[in-house]
Amino acid sequence: MKIHNLTKEEVFRTLVTSENGLTEIEAQRRLHEFGFNEIKEVKKKSLLIRFLGQFTHFLAILLWLAAFMSFLSEYIHPGEGMLTLGLAIITVIFINAIFTFIQEYRAEKALEALKKLLPFNVKVIRDNREKEVSAREVVPGDIVLISEGDRIPADTRLIETSGLKVNNAPLTGESEPVLRSLDPFEGEFIESTNIAFAGTTVVSGSGRAVTFATGMRTEFGRIAHLTNAVETGLSPLQKEIIKATRLIAAIAAAIGIFFFLLGFVIERSFWNNFIFAIGVIVALVPEGMLPTVTLALAMGSQRMAKKKALIKTLTSVETLGSVTVICTDKTGTLTQNKMEVKEVWTLDNSEPEIKLLMQTAYLCNNAKFIDSQYKGDPTETAILKYAREAIGDVTAERISEIPFDPERKRMTTVHRIHDTGCTMHPPLSPLDKGGIKGGYHESCIMNHASLFAFTKGALESVLPLCSYVLIKEKKLPVDENMKEEITNAYHLLMDKGLRVLSFAYKEMKDTPPPIPPPRGGRVREGVSPDIESKMVFVGLIGLEDPPRPEVPEAIRKCNEAGIRIIMITGDASRTAVAIAKEIGLVKGNPIIIEGSEFNQLNDKELREKLSEEEIIFARMTPKHKMRVVSILKEEGEVVAVTGDGVNDAPALKKADIGIAMGITGTDVAKEASDIILLDDNFASIVNAVEEGRMVYENIKKFITYIFASNIPEAVPYLAYILLKIPLPLTIIQILAVDLGTDMLPALALGAEKPTPGVMRLPPRSFKERLLNLSLISRAYLFLGPIEAVACMFGFFWVLYGGGWIWGTMLPSNNILYMQATTACLTGIVVAQIANVFACRSFRESVFSIGFFSNRLIFVGIAFEIALQIFIVYHPWGNAIFATHPITAQMWLVLIPFAVILFFAEETRKLIVRRKIA
């Protein structure tokens, strides 16, 4: 038998405890047996394993292979500079691994700082005495004392309550606080009214409960375990980088092998062919791409952090930019998770009637205003706040109360109100009729000493109790027309998405006799059931959990960006639809699927529903949300899921991007997510999407920049083997470009501002490749050849200027040869200066986006020139890179090629723009 089916006495016997609590000795024994009351992270990789993982992804393996070949070549045929090459490549691998690990480690530590742990101290009964213990030391069988504002430390079975209401939103997604009871419950465990679950909060009342599950055995812990069992998979960027590196590796290997074999045909030695093949592979493999991508993502994550979005894994930066669907919860994500009075209604909406409605709402209320703060149930605090601001404080003595009960759907309080005199109307004769009684108006009766009952609740519960209505300050018998008018007003407010409560009162002659407490609640000084009869209907109050003010604009931007937003909530469908319409999420009549209907849909039917333009899921559970995300991903969508509750965590983990709320989010949700919104602001998602799109766009820009230099690095090797000339560029000089002069300009492209209108473009197709034909042809067939002409022109300019004769092979330490290779290297660097401006946009002219708008470009160019000057003119640079100083005239000879490249690219962009127009 399950614990929620048991009586109080059976619970004590089952858990071997009593109302006196456990003894300290027994509590310590159980702590040793069951362990600490804490959520454990399952299957989390150690820091060492995660660090080593940075050395084993595909691009790293490719670089390891290149390093191995370099060391092998140095061992077999020393003196060719291959040792230096191998060490340089390994340095790149380590720098990238350390940087990536540090960034993700810092994000994890920031997450730990954000975690809101279970309550630190909890009041328990042990050895028949009340004492405070750490929440992690609570054990099964402990008697826990709970009161307003507490978070429940473990799964507990209630044994005593006094108006206790618990907000289960962190666990179930249902925002409405639920009244707790003591009686055995025969329904579903998760819906039990006699259970207070770990991680939920007490919004009003107090009670005692016996703990039956702690730590990972709680519902909270089971969902955490389910979350850890979900496999996340690779991000779109990770997949694209793997595909790109495999393509590059295949191209480099194929060309290297081809020319290695060709060397034998033209009768070159094995080692010349082998060194040549390695040179071609090194030239075509962009060693600088890995650290540049990593640094660009890190820069994006830092910019996101400034916009209140904490990035846990670097690749999440770009993934968010490719999102096609956002599945979002309602409560606390689209809304503020706080109730607010939106409208009040009476039959004639006159000032006296509205004042009486406010007085009734003020008194029939368990919220309190203490120390300049409203405390209690969110609905009741909203009503008290509104009434208090409308009429001020009302002085009355509460005699008794019938608490709200889910079956009755109402609550009633009895008050003695002291005579304050009427300030609204002159004294009236006792003979006056028409609803004016005893010398005062009906709407002013609370200005005179008397005993009153006040009731509030659902209309279907309150209206049948009413024999009268208040119209124009007169108490009139209620008729069917009046009931219809009231009901229509009720439905009108409901259709606006408001939670509507109705209010009534009754003047009583004498203090009523006490009666037994009603089921599910406890009457402070019991009242007679006849007080809830022949009441006077006063009016209606409509409340709303208001949307976050920034949400409508954020949704509009998502719509422009081609991103679908699907609401998946635990709340009722009517409320969900009304909120959705208010924030602009839906405009017509959306498809609405509730949990019961959802369970009956097979995958094919669900796919058909998800293909609808507007759809809302209501009354959903964690498994439901997981299934929606899974189906969407199977359909090729890139899915982001937002949420803050424990119930959101499995879907957060399953999604391509999980977005948790930093302020209201639970620990499990934060742990499962990829991005945490530090300000819980839905609009921050839009900023992050734009940042993600910008990062992907910029990655393509600097890949174009990096790849363009591969052609002038490879052409010298082709010329070397085909034209029988000295090798124009050494391998170590190739690395000087890839890992030296190119790095900062490439990073500066990573900080480029987004192309205008990037948020008005649809999400990129999952079929779109990072290395597409357009990018490769631009880099390899347009920009690269211009740079190759520049570097080869510089090489031959120096050789012929020094008297070289075609066909003469020069030794590697020959000054003329070193000057020629230096000129070749300088030609690449000069051309890359123009290329960095060319790569700032794909179609727009550099002058239209602002020639000086990215100041980091100029910092990168300054670094590039300074490093090249060091390589060309400093003795250390000469020694490391086998260079020799060249004349200033040589630089001037090369500059025209940079000008040609820049304006050739501007011309190409102009032609593209005209074709599009």
Side-chain angles (χ1 to χ4, degrees):
M1 197 143 183
K2 297 182 178 179
I3 196 162
H4 63 291
N5 303 139
L6 305 179
T7 64
K8 174 180 174 180
E9 292 72 21
E10 290 171 332
V11 170
F12 284 141
R13 286 198 299 271
T14 301
L15 296 173
V16 193
T17 187
S18 69
E19 293 194 36
N20 296 330
L22 301 172
T23 64
E24 277 296 340
I25 295 175
E26 177 63 16
Q28 291 302 315
R29 188 193 70 77
R30 295 191 185 191
L31 182 63
H32 180 74
E33 178 183 354
F34 295 102
F36 286 113
N37 176 36
E38 57 191 6
I39 303 300
K40 298 178 181 178
E41 297 175 3
V42 182
K43 297 180 181 179
K44 190 167 184 178
K45 293 181 181 178
S46 69
L47 290 176
L48 178 61
I49 296 297
R50 288 158 64 193
F51 177 65
L52 293 177
Q54 304 297 333
F55 296 93
T56 56
H57 54 77
F58 188 82
L59 187 52
I61 291 173
L62 187 62
L63 294 177
W64 279 117
L65 184 60
F68 172 77
M69 293 175 67
S70 300
F71 292 139
L72 179 63
S73 178
E74 176 68 23
Y75 175 74
I76 298 175
H77 200 270
E80 297 291 339
M82 303 305 286
L83 176 62
T84 305
L85 172 63
L87 293 174
I89 293 174
I90 289 178
T91 301
V92 170
I93 298 172
F94 270 87
I95 290 174
N96 178 76
I98 293 170
F99 188 87
T100 304
F101 176 77
I102 289 174
Q103 176 65 28
E104 295 185 1
Y105 179 77
R106 287 175 59 194
E108 183 178 291
K109 289 303 177 185
L111 170 64
E112 291 179 3
L114 284 171
K115 281 185 175 181
K116 293 184 175 180
L117 303 175
L118 292 172
F120 183 74
N121 287 325
V122 180
K123 292 180 180 179
V124 298
I125 301 295
R126 289 184 182 172
D127 291 322
N128 201 24
R129 295 196 308 272
E130 179 182 321
K131 65 176 297 185
E132 278 196 3
V133 299
S134 169
R136 67 195 300 265
E137 295 177 0
V138 172
V139 297
D142 260 331
I143 306 298
V144 179
L145 307 182
I146 50 180
S147 58
E148 185 177 303
D150 288 347
R151 289 184 71 190
I152 307 299
D155 284 357
T156 59
R157 170 63 157 84
L158 295 167
I159 57 174
E160 181 180 320
T161 65
S162 177
L164 183 68
K165 284 187 179 181
V166 176
N167 186 343
N168 281 342
L171 190 66
T172 66
E174 173 61 62
S175 61
E176 184 61 31
V178 181
L179 185 72
R180 304 283 92 180
S181 69
L182 308 179
D183 300 329
F185 186 83
E186 299 300 329
E188 291 292 327
F189 176 68
I190 197 69
E191 298 175 357
S192 302
T193 56
N194 57 23
I195 301 293
F197 292 102
T200 60
T201 54
V202 179
V203 295
S204 65
S206 60
R208 295 188 178 201
V210 57
T211 303
F212 65 86
T214 59
M216 296 300 290
R217 298 178 182 86
T218 63
E219 286 300 302
F220 194 104
R222 285 174 183 156
I223 294 177
H225 183 80
L226 172 63
T227 301
N228 282 282
V230 176
E231 295 183 3
T232 55
L234 297 174
S235 74
L237 182 62
Q238 288 172 320
K239 294 175 183 177
E240 282 303 304
I241 289 177
I242 289 173
K243 290 175 183 176
T245 51
R246 284 176 178 169
L247 177 62
I248 295 166
I251 293 173
I255 294 176
I257 292 171
F258 173 77
F259 283 102
F260 176 76
L261 297 176
L262 182 63
F264 289 108
V265 175
I266 59 177
E267 299 180 348
R268 285 185 176 270
S269 69
F270 175 86
W271 284 111
N272 280 336
N273 292 339
F274 183 72
I275 293 171
F276 167 75
I278 291 179
V280 169
I281 292 172
V282 170
L284 291 176
V285 173
E287 294 85 359
M289 187 173 84
L290 181 60
T292 307
V293 169
T294 302
L295 289 169
L297 292 174
M299 290 164 62
S301 72
Q302 295 300 320
R303 290 193 296 268
M304 282 190 178
K306 293 178 181 178
K307 297 176 181 178
K308 304 298 183 182
L310 174 66
I311 307 300
K312 291 175 60 183
T313 54
L314 287 182
T315 51
S316 301
V317 176
E318 181 279 331
T319 306
L320 191 58
S322 62
V323 161
T324 59
V325 178
I326 298 176
C327 296
T328 177
D329 192 15
K330 178 186 72 68
T331 304
T333 307
L334 297 174
T335 66
Q336 300 177 32
N337 199 20
K338 60 182 182 181
M339 300 299 290
E340 182 179 272
V341 173
K342 194 75 172 179
E343 293 192 31
V344 298
W345 181 90
T346 63
L347 277 165
D348 65 356
N349 283 328
S350 64
E351 183 181 349
E353 275 70 32
I354 291 176
K355 180 182 178 182
L356 181 56
L357 174 60
M358 293 296 100
Q359 291 171 322
T360 304
Y362 185 105
L363 293 172
C364 189
N365 198 312
N366 284 328
K368 298 179 179 64
F369 183 71
I370 302 173
D371 297 330
S372 300
Q373 290 185 332
Y374 292 93
K375 296 184 178 181
D377 173 273
T379 299
E380 298 212 320
T381 55
I383 293 173
L384 177 63
K385 182 175 183 290
Y386 189 86
R388 188 170 176 275
E389 290 176 353
I391 62 171
D393 288 315
V394 178
T395 303
E397 177 188 356
R398 179 177 291 196
I399 303 300
S400 54
E401 170 196 353
I402 304 177
F404 176 84
D405 183 274
E407 295 180 6
R408 289 165 21 93
K409 296 183 180 179
R410 65 181 183 270
M411 71 172 287
T412 297
T413 58
V414 178
H415 296 259
R416 186 178 303 281
I417 299 174
H418 302 283
D419 193 349
T420 59
C422 178
T423 60
M424 189 174 295
H425 302 100
L428 297 174
S429 164
L431 301 177
D432 285 332
K433 304 214 181 199
I436 301 174
K437 54 185 295 181
Y440 52 85
H441 290 76
E442 185 69 28
S443 61
C444 301
I445 57 173
M446 278 187 279
N447 296 102
H448 304 273
S450 192
L451 193 66
F452 291 92
F454 302 101
T455 298
K456 77 165 179 239
L459 185 69
E460 62 269 25
S461 173
V462 174
L463 191 56
L465 307 178
C466 298
S467 301
Y468 305 95
V469 295
L470 198 63
I471 300 178
K472 295 181 179 179
E473 305 183 58
K474 297 179 181 180
K475 185 172 75 173
L476 302 177
V478 67
D479 58 29
E480 292 304 316
N481 290 334
M482 293 176 182
K483 287 184 178 180
E484 183 178 356
E485 184 178 354
I486 293 169
T487 302
N488 288 340
Y490 180 76
H491 288 157
L492 182 63
L493 294 177
M494 288 284 285
D495 288 339
K496 294 180 180 180
L498 304 181
R499 183 186 179 211
V500 185
L501 295 177
S502 53
F503 294 81
Y505 76 92
K506 175 183 179 180
E507 183 177 10
M508 304 175 65
K509 300 299 181 183
D510 302 304
T511 302
I515 60 167
R519 178 181 177 181
R522 187 167 70 179
V523 181
R524 212 168 292 164
E525 293 182 25
V527 294
S528 171
D530 65 1
I531 67 168
E532 292 181 333
S533 63
K534 297 181 180 180
M535 304 195 81
V536 181
F537 181 84
V538 183
L540 306 170
I541 293 180
L543 300 101
E544 178 187 46
D545 179 6
R548 295 180 181 273
E550 65 281 350
V551 165
E553 176 64 14
I555 289 175
R556 184 190 64 78
K557 288 183 178 180
C558 284
N559 291 336
E560 286 186 350
I563 300 171
R564 289 181 66 201
I565 301 176
I566 298 175
M567 182 189 291
I568 304 178
T569 179
D571 275 351
S573 58
R574 193 166 188 167
T575 303
V577 170
I579 290 293
K581 288 184 176 180
E582 183 175 350
I583 62 179
L585 182 57
V586 299
K587 295 180 174 60
N589 295 317
I591 300 295
I592 302 169
I593 300 177
E594 291 202 347
S596 55
E597 179 188 353
F598 183 89
N599 290 328
Q600 298 173 4
L601 296 175
N602 59 37
D603 285 355
K604 182 180 178 182
E605 292 169 333
L606 181 56
R607 283 187 174 89
E608 291 175 355
K609 297 287 187 182
L610 285 169
S611 66
E612 297 289 338
E613 186 176 349
E614 295 181 344
I615 184 169
I616 291 175
F617 293 93
R619 298 296 187 193
M620 300 292 279
T621 68
K623 289 184 180 179
H624 294 157
K625 186 177 285 191
M626 276 273 289
R627 186 180 169 206
V628 171
V629 172
S630 298
I631 294 293
L632 287 169
K633 290 187 70 173
E634 289 172 9
E635 290 297 297
E637 304 284 1
V638 180
V639 185
V641 172
T642 68
D644 56 1
V646 179
N647 63 315
D648 296 317
L652 288 171
K653 189 86 174 277
K654 180 69 175 177
D656 294 290
I657 285 290
I659 307 171
M661 302 296 145
I663 298 174
T664 59
T666 58
D667 298 339
V668 175
K670 293 173 186 175
E671 187 66 36
S673 66
D674 301 290
I675 296 175
I676 300 172
L677 299 183
L678 303 181
D679 58 355
D680 286 12
N681 191 334
F682 185 83
S684 296
I685 297 174
V686 180
N687 295 331
V689 167
E690 184 174 12
E691 186 71 41
R693 291 190 175 190
M694 181 181 77
V695 166
Y696 185 79
E697 187 179 66
N698 289 346
I699 286 175
K700 295 185 74 172
K701 289 175 183 177
F702 65 64
I703 284 179
T704 303
Y705 173 78
I706 291 170
F707 278 25
S709 66
N710 287 351
I711 298 302
E713 291 171 351
V715 164
Y717 282 83
L718 302 181
Y720 166 66
I721 195 168
L722 297 177
L723 302 180
K724 294 185 178 181
I725 61 174
L727 182 62
L729 194 70
T730 66
I731 293 175
I732 198 67
Q733 289 168 350
I734 291 174
L735 290 183
V737 174
D738 290 352
L739 302 178
T741 59
D742 272 2
M743 287 295 291
L744 279 191
L747 280 177
L749 287 173
E752 195 68 39
K753 293 180 180 178
T755 302
V758 70
M759 286 301 288
R760 290 192 291 273
L761 298 174
R764 77 172 189 275
S765 169
F766 68 95
K767 296 180 181 179
E768 181 184 334
R769 300 279 74 90
L770 183 63
L771 292 186
N772 54 30
L773 182 60
S774 173
L775 186 150
I776 292 175
S777 61
R778 183 186 177 203
Y780 283 175
L781 303 180
F782 186 73
L783 298 171
I786 297 175
E787 293 193 19
V789 171
C791 73
M792 294 304 296
F793 183 87
F795 178 73
F796 286 117
W797 178 279
V798 172
L799 283 183
Y800 279 112
W804 175 77
I805 300 174
W806 189 279
T808 304
M809 300 303 290
L810 301 175
S812 59
N813 59 355
N814 181 275
I815 292 177
L816 179 63
Y817 172 70
M818 289 191 292
Q819 283 182 319
T821 59
T822 303
C824 183
L825 173 63
T826 305
I828 297 175
V829 172
V830 170
Q832 281 290 80
I833 291 174
N835 189 30
V836 75
F837 286 102
C839 292
R840 288 185 62 193
S841 64
F842 298 108
R843 292 188 296 269
E844 296 77 14
S845 169
V846 172
F847 299 104
S848 67
I849 65 175
F851 193 83
F852 299 99
S853 59
N854 186 351
R855 295 182 180 179
L856 286 178
I857 291 287
F858 295 93
V859 175
I861 291 173
F863 170 81
E864 186 173 21
I865 294 172
L867 180 58
Q868 183 61 14
I869 290 173
F870 168 80
I871 292 171
V872 174
Y873 298 108
H874 197 282
W876 290 0
N878 297 159
I880 295 171
F881 297 101
T883 57
H884 196 279
I886 57 177
T887 64
Q889 181 189 16
M890 188 68 249
W891 289 78
L892 295 176
V893 167
L894 296 171
I895 288 175
F897 290 97
V899 176
I900 291 170
L901 185 148
F902 178 81
F903 284 103
E905 176 65 4
E906 283 291 302
T907 303
R908 185 198 66 82
K909 292 175 182 177
L910 176 62
I911 294 171
V912 171
R913 290 198 301 273
R914 287 182 175 177
K915 283 184 177 180
I916 294 175

